[in-house]
């Protein structure tokens, strides 16, 4: 009997088939994972910096193929770029457009205002930059201004117009994207003749 067991062929042992099945399943699982990782799907990538409130159109994006694992369902695709969508946050040039960064135009909570900065605006400030807007109210006696205060702690720059000439650093006009809830304060400061200054976020002394 001992000799018969020793001579038993391995493929007649149930454990042999179980081990073989496990090897096959393991190889198949790895193959499926690698295959899925190589699959791609189209997604939308910003071709320029898009600021809150900007319409999202085919002119602002390009179609790129990305790995399924990287994109999942969290980004806009050509099929989900519907008419009437706007950006709800800044989308940097080259960034994939998240679905959460888009909304219908009637849901927009921002608008834009144009201000002239009373202080020089650094050259690093451009479209998409986040800045603070300070306001110094005119004194009641009509001479000078009160101490400046932060009117808006964060506003997104939509455009910058630096005028030519030797005093161009002091003649900078900016279009700022602001919350609709704050528009009244900004317009009130403008009509009151307050001196407005735009500075980079974190530049307080």
């Amino acid at each position: 009997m001992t000799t018969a067991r020793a001579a038993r062929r391995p493929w007649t042992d149930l454990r042999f088939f179980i081990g073989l099945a496990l090897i096959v399943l393991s190889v198949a699982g790895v193959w499926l994972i690698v295959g899925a990782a190589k699959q791609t799907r189209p997604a939308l990538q910003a071709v320029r910096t898009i600021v809150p409130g900007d319409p999202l159109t085919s002119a602002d994006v390009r179609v790129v193929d990305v790995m399924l694992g990287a994109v999942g369902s969290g980004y806009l695709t050509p099929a989900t770029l519907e008419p009437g969508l706007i950006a709800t946050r800044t989308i940097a040039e080259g960034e994939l457009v998240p679905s959460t960064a888009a909304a219908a135009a009637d849901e927009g909570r921002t608008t834009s205002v144009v201000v002239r900065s009373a202080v020089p605006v650094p050259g690093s400030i451009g479209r998409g930059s986040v800045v603070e807007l300070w306001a110094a109210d005119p004194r009641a006696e009509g001479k000078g201004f009160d101490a400046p205060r932060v009117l808006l702690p964060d506003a997104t720059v939509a455009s910058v117009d630096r005028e030519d000439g030797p005093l161009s650093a002091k003649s900078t006009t900016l279009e700022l994207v602001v919350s609709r809830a704050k528009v009244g304060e900004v317009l009130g400061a403008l009509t009151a003749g307050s001196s407005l200054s735009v500075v980079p976020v974190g530049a307080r002394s």
Side-chain angles (χ1 to χ4, degrees), residues 29-53:
V30 171
W31 181 83
L32 288 174
I33 292 174
V34 173
K38 291 183 178 180
Q39 293 180 7
T40 62
R41 64 172 290 179
L44 299 182
Q45 183 182 54
V47 298
R48 65 180 182 89
T49 298
I50 303 171
V51 299

Side-chain angles (χ1 to χ4, degrees), residues 54-71:
D54 276 358
L56 288 173
T57 69
S58 57
D60 305 307
V61 297
R62 60 171 167 258
V63 180
V64 295
D65 289 327
V66 296
M67 295 295 184
L68 282 175
V71 68

